[in-house]
Every structure is written in structure tokens, then in C-alpha cells.
Amino acid sequence: MVLTAWKVAAQTNVSGFVTDGREPLAGANVFILGTIDGCQTDSLGHFSFVTAKEGEQTLKVTFIGFEDYLLTSSQLTNLSIRMHEKATTIDEVVITASTYSFGKSENFKTMDALDVVMAGNSCGDVVAALQTLPGTQKVGENGKLYVRGGESEECQTFINGMHVLTPYSTNVEGQSQRGRFSPFLFKGINFSLGGYGGEYGQALSSVLPMETTDVVTSDKLGVSASLVDWNAGGTKAFNKSSLSFNADYTSMGLYNALFPDRCDWTRPYRKLSGEAQYKAEISGMTVLKSYAGYDLTSVGQHIDDLNLSFKEHNIYVNTTIKTSIGHGYSLFAGIANSSVFKDIDDAQTLGDHYHNLRNEVHLKAELKKVFTPTLKMSAGLEDYIRNSSMQYETYRYHVDYNLSAAHLDAQWRIIPRLFLNLSCRAEHLNYVNDWMLMPRATVSYIPNNRFQLSAMFGRYSQTAEDEYIASSGKHLAQGTADHAIVSLQYSTAKTLLRIEPYYKKYRHLPLLAEGAYTSDGYGTSRGFDVFFENHSLVKNIATTISYSFNDSERLYLDYTSLRTPEYASRHNIRLTAKYSIGKFIIGLAESYASGRKYTMGTTPCYNSLDANITYLLHPKVIVYSSLNNILGRTNVYRYQSDGTPVTATRDRFFYIGIFVSLKSNKAYDISNF
């Protein structure tokens, strides 16, 4: 009895109330340091427990998103504790407005590389997978990216921060051009629909930055085969470095024989491509990456009395280095070269020949510094060295010019929930000896990890295509686009909802006048995008809904009046669903686009229902099949000048492929492939 009474007397009561200064905090952890004595606050923020310790003690309170609270005292009853929100450092902030991320990126993850390959309407093409997102237009006759009322050339691709001159393979009309790059070589793809910072230039509408994988420590090898392509890729690991490769051969010969279409092919579409990347950790602070890609594409088609023949060589190489130089500074430097050789026989008349060579060298250096937990800045210099030559019968041109650029970016946390990104980009185009200054700003309010509200404003520029520059006698100024975007986003672990209204104003677009191009073109593009993704409405089903409304008008190229561009459709809707059951994954995708306006009329609406099935045959083997346009609708993409409709060469496309991993425990282990 005496011992029991002593124990009771030795216990100390601890009690109190926890708030954030406005409301009680339920579920906060309250405990005495150095003991297991403690509890969580109840729904009203109250806590009460006893501890065997006597005298002066240290009480600790923790709650997600708040600074830890410490109190050392011998009196721990009836406490009133106010928690203070943790101030997020600028490096922890991810502004996702107008950007969709794929793979291992910091933003909301919507799909990884294998999902890109197996999306119902992509057939392994990164570009086709991106067209499931809002803001993109369905332009089936070429399959390129058209974003928020902008031309396909207004979307620029970057690999490891370095520009890619031509990201598409060539093809004939009615056949979609595919992206040139394998998704398996990239760890992250961030597709920005506008409002990007000063680092990226020469893009009026959008940018597609892709980051190659990092150094790996184990060997990997995978192969795949289908009716149309055969692929092998893998990684060889060394000490603090690794070498990855991907080789692909695509041929429509077998497929055309099994499933004839409406074209008279003299040579089926063929593409031989190879990619390689070397990655090395030179030190704990320095990483070197080098990437090289080559494509040889050819196709031939009999049209009327012509034997149209395409052939294109596309070479891209870049090398980048990132290093920390101390005191919070980091340095990036890179060089890239793009070369494209294109030849066309019987382009317009029997026996003619078209030859085009384009080359670009891109040089870039950037210095970054984290000054404080609330301020981060970067500054960079760039140089684009471009030349192009074209010869067609007696007509020929040669264009070469230099574009220099500099940018300054500052990211500032004004108060704990409010962030400001200010940037300015300056560009000098040597053939007109003209400087252009482009301010850009993003303001974001992030009250918690679920909600984000952002507003973006900025000016963007881009040089005209080479043939327009040549026609103008090298007098064309850069085209500009002013972006204004508002982004509202709500996200949880299984749900993403984003609504984005936008407005773009174009100036100095190329406009044909009296046989030559001037910089007098202009236009506007406005609308809004809605994107919803959910993984929890129905068990084992992941769904996405994207809707885009676009109202755009332009006076440019050979237009004689202000009108809606021929590639633009006002309404675009995409619905996808993916159901997982056992070893099967079943996917459906529905795409709809309203008609496109031409001088001779408006096309019927576009509609395509696509399906795919994935089956895990073995831990190392995946079988994938898809059928595009199940209903067999003949979609009219556009009208030619004589009123002839342009359609796909076939109404349906069936794909079946097998993916095999030879040196890992699952098919196409892409974690660092």
C-alpha cells in the first residue's frame, strides 16, 4: 500500500489546449522528451496524460505543416499552446500551374514511361500521349502538337535543357508524324501549356522539356516486338557511370499487307532509329550527361502520275554538365547540335527534286544561387546558331543567322503562402540587329498541399520559319505572343482538378503581301481548359476527363482576312478510363473535336473510340494490344483547296506488341532504364 501510494504521488499531470491561433488542432502529437509518455489532441484540441517524471521537464508538440513546439517547465497543466505554420523554403515549392508532369518529376504524376507506351491512343508515342491533355488540338493529318490555338511550330522540345530543332519524324499527309524519342530514356517530362519562365525561349505557345535518366548501378536489358516495330534497349552500369541505348526499327510493310488501306504505297513507311546516353557522376557535386539520337525515315506513295518519295536523316546530339561550386551556387552548361536532311522526289511535278538542310547549334550556360530560404535566383546566357538551305528546281535559298539571349529569374516567398516568380528574357536577332525584352511573372497562392491558385503573365517570342525569312529578304522580325493565364488546382493523393482560363495576343506574325512575307500578321487566342483525374471513384478504375474551349483568330501567312486558323477546333473533349483486374489492365479512350473551318466549309466533328488491353503474361513479359477508332468512323481532317477532303489512310489501326525484360524482375523495368 505504501509503495502504491508513492507511485501515484510521483505521477505528474500534463494537460492543455493546442491551436493554430484561430482554430483547435486535432491529432497533434504531445509528449515528454525522453519518455514514451504522451497522447494526441482530441477533436477540440485538448490533451491530458500523466508522466512518471518529476520536476522540470520538456514538452514537445508536433503537427504536420507546423513548427515543432518545445516548452521546458515544472508546471505543465492547463497549458495554452499556439502552433506556428512551418515556413516552406523556396526549394520546396513546386508551381504546377499550366504544367503537366510525367514520369519521375516533382509535380503531379499522371503517367510514367510504360503508361506512355500503353496509352489507348498513343501506340508508344510520347506526342500522341500528350494529346490526351487539355489545351491540345486534334490535328490528325500530321499528329503534331497544337496548343491553345497555336501552330505546331510554336511548341518547342528540350532534352536536358537543350533545344531540339525537329522533334518529329517525317510522313505523308493522312499519316500521323510520331515523336522521335523513346519514353524509356526519360525520367521526367514536364509539358507546359504556357506561362513558362525566362529559361525557355523561342516558343510562342508551349514547351516540352524532357530529362534523361540518372546514373544507375545495375545492368538492364529489354526487347519488344509488334506488327509495326521492333525495339531493343538497356543500360550497362559502370563505377559511377552508366551507358543506356535504345534501337528501333519501324516498318509498315507487314501491316499494309495484312490490313490494306486507301493509299497506293510504292515504299512502306520505314524508320531506323537509335538513341544513346552516357551519364557519369564525376564527383559528388558534378554530373555529366551526353545524349545522341539518329533517325532515318523513308516512305513512298503513288499519287496520280507522281511517285512521291520522302527520305529524311535527323541527327541530334547534346552534352550537359551540372555542378555545385559552393556557397549555394550551382552551374549548368550545355551544347547541342541538330541536323536535318530532307529529300523529296516528285514533290509537285514528275521528275522534280526537293532538298532541304537545316542545322542548329545551341549553347547555354546558367548560374543558380539559393540566397535564403525565401529567395532563389538564376541567370543564364544562350546562343542559337542556325543555317538552312533549300533547293527546288531553279528556286533556292540559303539562310543563316544568330540569336543571342540572356535571362534572369527570381523566385521569392513573400509570405508563407504567397510566392512570386519574376523573370526577364532578352533576345538579339542579328540579321535585323534588334533587341527584344520580355518580362514574365507568376504569382501563386498555396494555402496547403491540396490547393493552388496562380496567375501568370508574360511575353514570348519566336523567329519565323526559314522559308519565310528567306522570302522577306531577312527582314522578318520575331513574332511575339503575350500570355495571361489563371490556374486553379485542387489535388489529393488520388484526385487532380485543374481549371485554367487563358488569353494570348499575337503580334508580328509572318503575312504574305505582294509575293513576300512581312511581319504584319496578328491574332488572338482565348479559352479555358478543364482537367480531372481520379483514382478512387470506382475501385480499380482510374479516369481522366479533359475539356478545352478555344476561340482563336489570325491574319497571317496567305490569309486575306482575320479568321479562325484551319487547324483549330473550338471544342475538344477526351475521356479515358483504365480498369485493373488481376493480370489485366483494360483501357478506353474517347476523343471528340468539333469541326474545323475552311473557306470551302467546315469539317464534320472528329470522333474516335479507342481501346487497349495489357496482360502480364509473366513477371518479365507484358503483352499489349490496342484498337483505335473502334467504330470505324471516317474522320475528315481538313479540306484541300479544291474541296477534296483529307482523311486518314485507314479508319482503324490495330496494334499488338510484346515487351520483355531480360535482366530485371519485371517487364521493361523503367526505374532507371
Side-chain angles (χ1 to χ4, degrees), residues 558-578:
D558 59 353
Y559 288 16
T560 57
S561 62
L562 188 68
R563 61 186 177 92
T564 301
E566 294 176 347
Y567 54 79
S569 50
R570 178 158 290 202
H571 304 280
N572 284 268
I573 303 173
R574 286 138 184 133
L575 310 174
T576 69
K578 184 168 65 175

Side-chain angles (χ1 to χ4, degrees), residues 110 115 494 532-545 575-580 585-589:
T110 58
D115 290 323
K494 294 187 176 182
F532 176 76
E533 181 175 40
N534 184 269
H535 297 262
S536 61
L537 287 177
V538 180
K539 186 178 180 180
N540 297 330
I541 292 184
T543 57
T544 67
I545 302 172
L575 310 174
T576 69
K578 184 168 65 175
Y579 178 63
S580 303
I585 299 176
I586 302 170
L588 286 174

